[in-house]
């Protein structure tokens, strides 16, 4: 089955740029979605189809996807961005397709 | 506004059964693909099962295949997850989620608040 690998944690100072990676075999050929989850809350979609941003999500959130790595970039990080972030792809490569999530990355704002 | 409200969670003994429900409102339920996703305490997200808008296409994660059954009633705007032969490792918050577009690889644009399932003797 397809595996997505994320770093367990990323730390960044306020106002700086955070980059959260999501690694997978030839992930650049797949569509990647990103979710933000704060403690005790349901996940929220922040980036879809690699780089599209839902309405209501700040322009500070952006995404890219190429080769074996997809990246969620958060510019001018704010304290309110502190959360867990998950990448997601649809795996159609096996005989039983399904959704795959990365293990999640905890973003800490210093 | 779009709302997804899960119910049916609770404490169940290993080997027992539970049926989760997800009540949808604020959109044409029959037009959308739906999924169940779970999150064990302190752990990450794990996709559980998917059902197409008509119910004709269904997929399961290997971890639940043969034990869980997803279904929907479009007339009642409801999604279900029948969980049998429950194990301790099924303990999690279970979320239902809507896919943004009726196509494969569409993201989840709305999630419910989740319902907690605890499997313990």
């Amino acid at each position: 089955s397809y595996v997505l690998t994320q770093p367990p944690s990323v730390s960044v100072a306020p106002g700086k740029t955070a980059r959260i990676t999501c690694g997978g075999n030839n992930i650049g050929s797949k569509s990647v979605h990103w979710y933000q989850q704060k403690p005790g809350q349901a996940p929220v979609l922040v980036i879809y189809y690699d780089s599209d941003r839902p309405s209501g999500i700040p322009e500070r959130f952006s995404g890219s996807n190429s080769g074996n790595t997809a990246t969620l970039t958060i510019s001018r990080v704010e304290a309110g961005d502190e959360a867990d972030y998950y990448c997601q792809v649809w795996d159609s490569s096996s005989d039983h397709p399904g959704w795959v999530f990365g293990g999640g990355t905890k973003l800490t704002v210093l | 506004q779009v709302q997804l409200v899960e119910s049916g969670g609770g404490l169940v003994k290993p080997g027992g059964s539970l049926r989760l429900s997800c009540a949808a409102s604020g959109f044409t339920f029959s037009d959308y693909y739906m999924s169940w996703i779970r999150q064990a305490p302190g752990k990450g997200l794990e996709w559980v099962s998917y059902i197409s808008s008509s119910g004709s296409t269904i997929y399961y994660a290997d971890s639940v295949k043969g034990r869980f059954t997803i279904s929907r009633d479009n007339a009642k705007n409801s999604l279900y997850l029948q969980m049998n032969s429950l194990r301790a490792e099924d303990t999690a918050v279970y979320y239902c989620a809507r896919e943004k577009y009726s196509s494969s690889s569409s993201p989840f644009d709305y999630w419910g608040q989740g319902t907690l399932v605890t499997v313990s003797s």
Side-chain angles (χ1 to χ4, degrees):
Chain A
S1 60
Y2 195 78
V3 176
L4 295 174
T5 302
Q6 297 182 237
S9 63
V10 168
S11 298
V12 63
K16 300 299 185 182
T17 297
R19 293 179 179 84
I20 299 172
T21 58
C22 177
N25 184 35
N26 197 25
I27 194 173
S29 67
K30 300 180 181 296
S31 294
V32 179
H33 313 309
W34 291 92
Y35 300 88
Q36 175 194 70
Q37 186 181 33
K38 296 182 178 180
Q41 298 182 18
V44 172
L45 180 68
V46 293
I47 291 290
Y48 64 104
Y49 293 133
D50 299 341
S51 59
D52 288 345
R53 199 173 45 252
S55 60
I57 300 301
E59 292 183 8
R60 303 183 295 104
F61 288 79
S62 63
S64 62
N65 184 19
S66 179
N68 293 319
T69 304
T71 303
L72 172 68
T73 301
I74 310 171
S75 304
R76 303 180 300 283
V77 167
E78 301 174 357
D81 299 330
E82 189 163 283
D84 294 325
Y85 291 85
Y86 296 90
C87 58
Q88 177 201 29
V89 301
W90 176 258
D91 176 26
S92 58
S93 59
S94 65
D95 56 1
H96 43 276
W99 287 107
V100 179
F101 287 99
T105 298
K106 181 175 179 58
L107 177 67
T108 299
V109 181
L110 301 170
Chain B
Q1 71 283 20
V2 173
Q3 275 199 308
L4 298 170
V5 179
E6 302 94 338
S7 60
L11 176 63
V12 61
K13 290 181 168 53
S17 298
L18 214 52
R19 189 196 196 204
L20 305 184
S21 299
C22 171
S25 60
F27 65 102
T28 304
F29 180 70
S30 58
D31 286 346
Y32 289 85
Y33 300 178
M34 301 291 294
S35 277
W36 287 99
I37 303 99
R38 68 184 181 184
Q39 187 170 35
K43 302 297 185 183
L45 301 173
E46 180 189 15
W47 169 76
V48 173
S49 184
Y50 154 104
I51 187 167
S52 62
S53 53
S54 66
S56 60
T57 301
I58 287 173
Y59 301 120
Y60 297 99
D62 287 344
S63 57
V64 306
K65 198 167 187 178
R67 299 187 299 123
F68 290 11
T69 302
I70 191 172
S71 63
R72 65 190 296 160
D73 186 335
N74 286 340
K76 294 183 177 180
N77 294 330
S78 292
L79 176 72
Y80 306 102
L81 186 68
Q82 177 67 43
M83 304 186 296
N84 299 331
S85 304
L86 283 162
R87 307 166 179 166
E89 54 265 35
D90 295 318
T91 294
V93 173
Y94 285 73
Y95 297 99
C96 64
R98 185 188 88 163
E99 294 199 12
K100 185 175 176 68
Y101 306 111
S102 293
S103 63
S104 61
S105 78
S106 174
F108 301 142
D109 62 345
Y110 285 94
W111 297 62
Q113 85 289 350
T115 187
L116 176 62
V117 172
T118 303
V119 184
S120 175
S121 55

